[in-house]
Amino acid sequence: MFSLPSLPSWLPGLSSLEWGSSLLDSFLQGLVGAFGVSILNNLLKVYFFVSCANNPELRLEKERLRARWASLETVHLAGLALILTVIGARVAALVVLEFSLRAVSTVLSLSKGSRGTERLRLYLLCQYSLGCGLTCGLSFLQEGSSHRTLNLLLGLGLAALLSTVAQRLCRHVCRLYELHSSQHYCGVCLGLLASAHGLPQLLGRALAVAFAVGDLAAVALINRDFLTTSEAVRFWTPLTICYTLLVIYMQEEQRLHPGLQSQIQTVLVRMGGLFVLLLTVGRWLDLLGILISLLGELWCLVGVRSLLDLCQIQGFSSQKPFVSAPVQPRPSAPAQPQGTAAS
């Protein structure tokens, strides 16, 4: 029976057909990674919008979130999928490992008062690294599979379904949350009204699992290129030193300047450090991948700039769990005469 994954084996003389099949697999992996980033982005928008809707002082920020165009989100998704397709598994693995080390260091160094705000900011800044982690995980898990393309198509269908559900939830909340929560009409909006404060914890657990799989896949994908232990040591030693210095610098810089401009400077420093490192221990194709990764990081920062500003203004660390929206009081029954008492 005809199937797409077995097509290259039918025509072994055409090496370009195998290259085309590999390119198709890379594109499918990039799409899955982009859809994963879209799911995270939409759920974060839901949380931020519900927070703004329950705070009368944030009406302007709420309208800014509501005014985002769906067409721009589609362009952002397509651009991110293209970037994740062409960066290559080796560079994606380096990006995942760098962010994982930075995330662990940030979480361990958080003070109790700023833990909520810093974690939200970390969720906003991890989007490109999450896409790289998903592509690395798929590349590693599907390596050597006889039905690789078919499996990726099934994974793409599931990712697209979840992304569509998250996008519809975001649109529903932006349009009807205030009305439904005030009238106690919609089960989805009432659920968000009661338990939206737990959404960051749920996202944190999901991201921890995704990055754990991505880190294991990244280490395996990098080590497969080394023939001897000495080659691996020559690569990992300067990489570890470079990552440690980058983490120390970025933590101090973000503590002093938490704005968007500081985040852009941090991205430039990170990618510049990886570029210099790969000049000595990498390949020329890796250098091109680092430049494309710089574009991907900036692309994701542009998509979340309003949420970053809102996170900095609002101070979610001190935010209390959401309370029920005020309901109009019903007219009370007329009081009984004082002389009548209940028997």
Side-chain angles (χ1 to χ4, degrees):
M1 183 177 180
F2 175 79
S3 61
L4 183 59
S6 61
L7 184 58
S9 62
W10 287 7
L11 301 173
L14 298 179
S15 58
S16 61
L17 189 60
E18 297 181 358
W19 179 84
S21 178
S22 177
L23 180 61
L24 176 61
D25 293 343
S26 299
F27 179 67
L28 294 177
Q29 293 172 9
L31 277 176
V32 173
F35 277 125
V37 173
S38 176
I39 295 171
L40 174 63
N41 198 7
N42 283 306
L43 292 180
L44 286 174
K45 288 177 186 176
V46 169
Y47 174 76
F48 276 88
F49 185 87
V50 172
S51 303
C52 293
N54 292 333
N55 191 342
E57 299 178 358
L58 298 173
R59 293 180 180 179
L60 181 60
E61 287 77 9
K62 179 188 65 177
E63 296 301 327
R64 287 176 57 188
L65 292 176
R66 181 179 288 168
R68 295 180 63 89
W69 295 350
S71 58
L72 293 181
E73 296 179 0
T74 304
V75 172
H76 183 268
L77 177 66
L80 182 59
L82 181 61
I83 292 172
L84 293 176
T85 300
V86 300
I87 60 170
R90 186 182 175 95
V91 175
L94 293 175
V95 173
V96 173
L97 292 175
E98 184 271 334
F99 178 82
S100 299
L101 179 61
R102 180 159 52 100
V104 171
S105 177
T106 301
V107 172
L108 293 178
S109 63
L110 288 179
S111 61
K112 189 174 181 180
S114 62
R115 189 170 298 172
T117 302
E118 292 299 327
R119 285 189 176 182
L120 281 175
R121 185 179 291 113
L122 197 63
Y123 297 162
L124 292 173
L125 297 177
C126 78
Q127 297 193 6
Y128 179 71
S129 301
L130 174 63
C132 292
L134 292 176
T135 57
C136 284
L138 288 173
S139 179
F140 175 73
L141 294 175
Q142 298 296 329
E143 187 175 8
S145 175
S146 57
H147 300 285
R148 177 186 178 97
T149 305
L150 180 59
N151 295 336
L152 290 175
L153 285 173
L154 293 176
L156 177 61
L158 178 60
L161 177 62
L162 295 177
S163 177
T164 302
V165 172
Q167 190 174 13
R168 289 182 177 179
L169 174 64
C170 184
R171 292 178 181 176
H172 176 83
V173 169
C174 291
R175 293 176 182 175
L176 301 173
Y177 171 77
E178 294 176 293
L179 176 63
H180 288 173
S181 60
S182 62
Q183 296 182 355
H184 296 273
Y185 175 73
C186 174
V188 174
C189 295
L190 290 179
L192 289 173
L193 182 67
S195 59
H197 61 277
L199 187 58
Q201 287 78 8
L202 178 63
L203 292 177
R205 297 188 188 99
L207 288 174
V209 174
F211 277 103
V213 176
D215 291 337
L216 294 176
V219 173
L221 290 175
I222 293 176
N223 284 335
R224 71 180 181 182
D225 295 330
F226 302 130
L227 300 178
T228 61
T229 305
S230 59
E231 292 182 1
V233 171
R234 283 198 301 267
F235 179 83
W236 286 108
T237 301
L239 182 66
T240 305
I241 296 174
C242 178
Y243 278 179
T244 304
L245 295 176
L246 284 176
V247 166
I248 295 174
Y249 169 79
M250 286 182 296
Q251 283 187 351
E252 185 65 24
E253 187 68 20
Q254 291 180 3
R255 188 178 297 111
L256 297 176
H257 308 285
L260 179 61
Q261 184 178 0
S262 175
Q263 301 297 339
I264 295 177
Q265 293 177 356
T266 301
V267 169
L268 294 176
V269 171
R270 286 169 46 213
M271 293 302 156
L274 289 179
F275 187 86
V276 173
L277 175 65
L278 292 179
L279 279 175
T280 57
V281 296
R283 307 167 182 172
W284 289 107
L285 192 60
D286 296 337
L287 301 180
L288 179 61
I290 290 295
L291 296 178
I292 299 175
S293 292
L294 174 60
L295 178 61
E297 289 278 6
L298 296 177
W299 186 262
C300 289
L301 277 180
V302 169
V304 298
R305 65 185 184 278
S306 59
L307 299 182
L308 283 173
D309 294 338
L310 182 59
C311 183
Q312 183 179 355
I313 295 172
Q314 191 168 355
F316 282 92
S317 59
S318 60
Q319 184 175 340
K320 297 180 181 180
F322 303 123
V323 295
S324 178
V327 184
Q328 296 295 331
R330 297 180 179 179
S332 58
Q336 296 181 354
Q338 189 173 1
T340 60
S343 56

